[in-house]
Amino acid sequence: MVPALFLLVLHSQYLYPLAPDLALLAALAMALVYVRLPLVHPVLRFLVFAGLSALCYWLAAASCLVGVVFCGLFEGLTKRRLVLGLACLLLGFYLPYLAAVHVCGFGFAKAYGQLLPFYGPFLLGAWLSEIAAVLLCLFVPLAGLGVGCWRIWSHRPSMAGLAATLASWSASRWGQASKVLALLAALVVSAAASFPGDYKVLLQIDYHASRREWPQVLQAAQGVRAYNTLAVYNINRALCHLDRLLGEMFVYPQRKNAEIFLPPPEAPANLRAMSEILLELGQVNIAEHMALEALEIYGDRPSLLRQLVLINVLKQRPRAAHTFLGLLEKNPLHRDWARTYRAALDADSTLAGDAQVQELRALMVVEDYTGYFTAEELLVQALERNPHNLMAFQYLMGHYLLTGKLDKVAAYIGHLNSFPADFSYPEIPRHCEEALLLYAMKARSSGAAPSLPLFGRRIDPQTRERFGDFRAVLARYGGDAEAVRQALAGSYGGTYWFYYFLRGSGQQGEVPSGTTK
Amino acid sequence: MGSNACRAIDTLRILLILGVMIGGCQIRPEQDTAAEDVRAGREPRLDPDYAGVTIPPNIAPLNFTLGEPGSEYQVEIYATGGDTLRITSTSPGVVIPLNPWRNLLQANRGEELCIAVRSRGADGKWVRFNPVRNTIATEGIDPYIVYRLLKPLYNKYVNIGIYQRNLENYDESTILHNRSAEGACLNCHTFLQQRPDPMILHTRGRYGLTMLLAHDGEVTRIGTRTEFNASPAAYASWHPSGRLLAFSVNKFSLFFHTEPERETRDVFDADSDLVLYRISDNLLTTAPQISSPERAETWPEWAPDGRHLYFASAPVLPIERFKEVRYDLMRIGYDPDQGTWGTLDTVLSAATTGLSITQPKISPDGRFLVFCMAEYGNFPVFLPSSDLYVMELATGQYRRLEINSDRTDSWHSWSSNSRWLVFSSKRRDGLFSRPYFSYVDEAGRFHKPMLLPQEDPVFYDSFVKNYNLPVFVTGPVQVSAAQLGRAVFAPEDSLQAQLDPQVQVHKSPGAGLPAEPYSSGAPR
């Protein structure tokens, strides 16, 4: 039961793989086989151990050492064959060295660490999980050591009384019940303490985004206490699809002073989402870049393969799409989808009847821009290709807001009229209104007096009024940023003004806004 | 006997031979028994396209998939001599047994090989297709190729390996995988005259940028960066003596295209030079003729006699003018005994062709030089316009090869007998490069290429890796992956190449500096 406790802690981490568990099982199996060997002669036992441990190392890599230590302790402490025990330990610990230097050629850290529960980036730096990983490895050897020591000590006359008392308590109904209760309590506490609730919400956000369930993305975002860049991307994407980006994006956390998305090389965790965003924007080639980077890093994941199928259809490479479909067909969960798609592709390699494909074709950037692009460049290219690309427009405005380019916001306000169905009301999206008021204020403070470029639209009088209040609070606290933050977070935390004045000028990162816990 | 009679006999002979050639694939007693067959009147569709190709007599079976509907298939493979192979299948995948195939090919060198196919349709009737005719070459192919397998990569790489494949069966083994090299990038495996030993390859990773030299079972790790070249060795060519290596030192940067019909990736070489590495005294040297500050020299290739070095050369231009960068094909004399350079000649200028010339590869018999030409640049594998061209070195005449496709054809390499060319082509799907083999006959004709056969007939339908830089070798590489991996892990054992003191260090434009971010897509 005790190892199960550690396993529970480890597997509550979402990313923790099964392979170290299987490797430990293989090591334990090796130890069990060795312990039950009917052989007596030390040389024969050692030879069998050598064979078993080599096989085990081949199967279980460094996890084999757990079994090696157990076998060594078994021989040394239980069977009192100290030389054999030592020989087993020496050989067992020599195996990784042998593999590193003479067989596989990899480094010592890998030779002595691979497939051990604490080797690899799975634990997300959670201290409880790291302790559980170490204890899981040490449990069998420590238990073996404990049992061995206990057998030695319990036979001493001075310990006989204590041993008998403990044995009788352990066998009693109370003793049994207390042990089970203690373990259950430990299981519950460990699982609760180690469960990464915040990470679960981030995964939910990503899950809903990958299924294009935009309201659910925002709903899940309400429960999040800590953000990562991927969540910020997914939330912005959901807001955009719901036509709420320019009115609500600063209600949610944003990366301060950062582009609305980062150009490649992108952090691996964001690559799939970036590929999807870029494809929706019409940047098929850059979306392909992101998807293929992700494929290299994460392997042949179905979500990536589907994305690459679509990209290759758009790039008029139906045969390459077939190749990705072929890989998808090997996955029983995606076989039906792949076969249906293949049949459609066989019938018409352009998928002219597919609404998604047609929509994307209308947005696809077809001019050959070359180089290494910033987010702004990618968005402007998309808008140049199709001035009615609503997503590109929203993202571009969002980008200018994030990077504090008020003049650019003002310059692009006229584009609202390119989307009469989406911006049918006479006002301007709230964050843009806020930015325009800031733009006018800054222009006046520098001596200019520009007329606001409203292109027939108007600014909500309430927004003007709130801006006056905001400025008054700002003036009251002067340069004390923390005091300003505390005073304004409640009423103005979700405004662009709050972001603009409190984002600072430091490194890119997340900035607290109204809903940040 | 009069001359007319002789002519008549010759004509009869020719007619007889033609009759056998034309009719040989049609008169099969086994098929004639099925007189009620429906005749399709055409050849069956095979994937890969193994119709009308010239086959090495020692190649593994050409397994294929029939692109014909049916519930049952009968395939007969036969030639003039030997036993007919009969395969019956309920699926369109045709797997040919190895040993009978091998015997059939060996018994029929220089003959025609026919593939006759019948398929049973939904109505229960058999449809008979015209036989597919291939030719078995007299000359064999080198038994191994070495290539790099990798997905279409950009900035990140976690799964790259260099492999060797036995062409006589389907055995593939790893020469070095980057799992054994701490995730390092592996590239540019280069052999001396198609021999598996010596071999060099380059690695780039956390243990440094280095060249691995495998020779006589030993692996030496060599640092090739010197005061002259901030960049390490890249494209290489062994001097036939085995004492020298010519290689380029380049300053590459990756950039992107947005036009969907183009390959997304592209490579710009901001500057490059050629250098020689002398193995005996670990000396790196160069000469102004091959390392001009005003020119970018790259893609070295020694002539088989070792007395000339061919290479590509272009003026150094900024990346904004990447479409204007077109490489000339150059040649410079070299005296291997004295180590002195001769005159520099332009073999073929980009001004003449209007295209950029790269990857010169000379046949071991010295007759032909095959090279790539593309609309610009020096990295043809990313350029759909890249085609293969051949120059007859005796005359200087060149022509576009008949084996090209409308997609990227590049990374070619000659067999040791100069009869086979292997190259990477994206003709199949436009994204993944696959190795194709073309037979080169005595007259210098390149025959329709065939795709590397695989045991699984549908292998390529779900294989998402590129075959990069396939090269022939006459036997398996003997050095183990562990030896190579250990060399990667042992920077303390690295041998640092020494720069020839007589080399004048010049600073090429931007040499050693990181490439500047470039974009033609800036908002206007």
Side-chain angles (χ1 to χ4, degrees), chain B residues 74-137:
Chain B
Q74 289 182 353
V75 177
E76 290 187 349
I77 304 172
Y78 54 91
T80 312
D83 296 332
T84 297
L85 303 184
R86 294 191 178 84
I87 299 157
T88 303
S89 171
T90 52
S91 78
V94 176
V95 178
I96 304 165
L98 178 62
N99 284 334
W101 165 269
R102 190 177 282 165
N103 295 338
L104 187 66
L105 262 55
Q106 290 299 335
N108 291 282
R109 285 178 180 244
E111 302 289 332
E112 193 169 59
L113 181 83
C114 300
I115 304 173
V117 173
R118 297 170 76 213
S119 72
R120 191 199 289 269
D123 55 2
K125 288 186 178 171
W126 286 94
V127 178
R128 186 196 298 196
F129 295 89
N130 295 346
V132 170
R133 292 189 183 84
N134 294 312
T135 305
I136 305 167

Side-chain angles (χ1 to χ4, degrees), chain A residues 101 103 105-106 110 285 288 293 296-297 300 315 319 323 330 365 367-372 377 384, chain B residues 47 151 154-156 158-159 179 256-260 262 264 428 462 482 486 489 518-520 524:
Chain A
V101 174
V103 183
F106 45 63
K110 191 173 177 181
N285 278 17
E288 180 192 34
E293 294 269 30
E296 172 67 3
I297 294 167
D300 304 331
K315 284 176 71 82
R319 191 82 195 249
T323 307
K330 293 181 175 177
V365 172
E367 190 169 332
D368 189 30
Y369 300 100
T370 52
Y372 211 81
E377 288 167 351
E384 284 185 355
Chain B
D47 182 37
K151 286 179 178 166
Y154 288 76
N155 302 100
K156 300 178 192 297
V158 294
N159 193 359
R179 271 196 303 270
F256 309 105
H257 294 268
T258 58
E259 186 185 354
R262 284 184 178 271
T264 300
R428 193 172 162 84
S462 60
R486 277 200 302 278
F489 280 114
Y518 152 72
S519 167
S520 75
R524 291 186 278 272

Side-chain angles (χ1 to χ4, degrees), chain B residues 90-240:
Chain B
T90 52
S91 78
V94 176
V95 178
I96 304 165
L98 178 62
N99 284 334
W101 165 269
R102 190 177 282 165
N103 295 338
L104 187 66
L105 262 55
Q106 290 299 335
N108 291 282
R109 285 178 180 244
E111 302 289 332
E112 193 169 59
L113 181 83
C114 300
I115 304 173
V117 173
R118 297 170 76 213
S119 72
R120 191 199 289 269
D123 55 2
K125 288 186 178 171
W126 286 94
V127 178
R128 186 196 298 196
F129 295 89
N130 295 346
V132 170
R133 292 189 183 84
N134 294 312
T135 305
I136 305 167
T138 310
E139 302 89 344
I141 199 166
D142 289 333
Y144 281 84
I145 56 169
V146 175
Y147 43 77
R148 187 167 73 144
L149 282 182
L150 70 174
K151 286 179 178 166
L153 297 186
Y154 288 76
N155 302 100
K156 300 178 192 297
Y157 42 83
V158 294
N159 193 359
I160 297 177
I162 296 178
Y163 298 84
Q164 55 189 340
R165 160 74 194 269
N166 188 334
L167 296 177
E168 297 179 346
N169 51 44
Y170 306 105
D171 291 346
E172 184 187 68
S173 58
T174 308
I175 291 177
L176 180 62
H177 192 282
N178 72 340
R179 271 196 303 270
S180 305
E182 283 291 315
C185 182
L186 314 173
N187 51 64
C188 294
H189 46 280
T190 311
F191 298 89
L192 167 58
Q193 292 173 329
Q194 291 81 24
R195 300 203 296 254
D197 186 272
M199 171 188 78
I200 61 154
L201 58 87
H202 302 306
T203 71
R204 188 175 72 236
R206 56 187 283 212
Y207 288 88
L209 305 147
T210 191
M211 177 170 81
L212 302 182
L213 167 62
H215 186 37
D216 281 343
E218 300 275 321
V219 180
T220 310
R221 181 188 153 109
I222 300 167
T224 52
R225 289 198 288 185
T226 69
E227 192 188 353
F228 175 80
N229 54 303
S231 303
Y235 310 126
S237 175
W238 283 93
H239 189 271

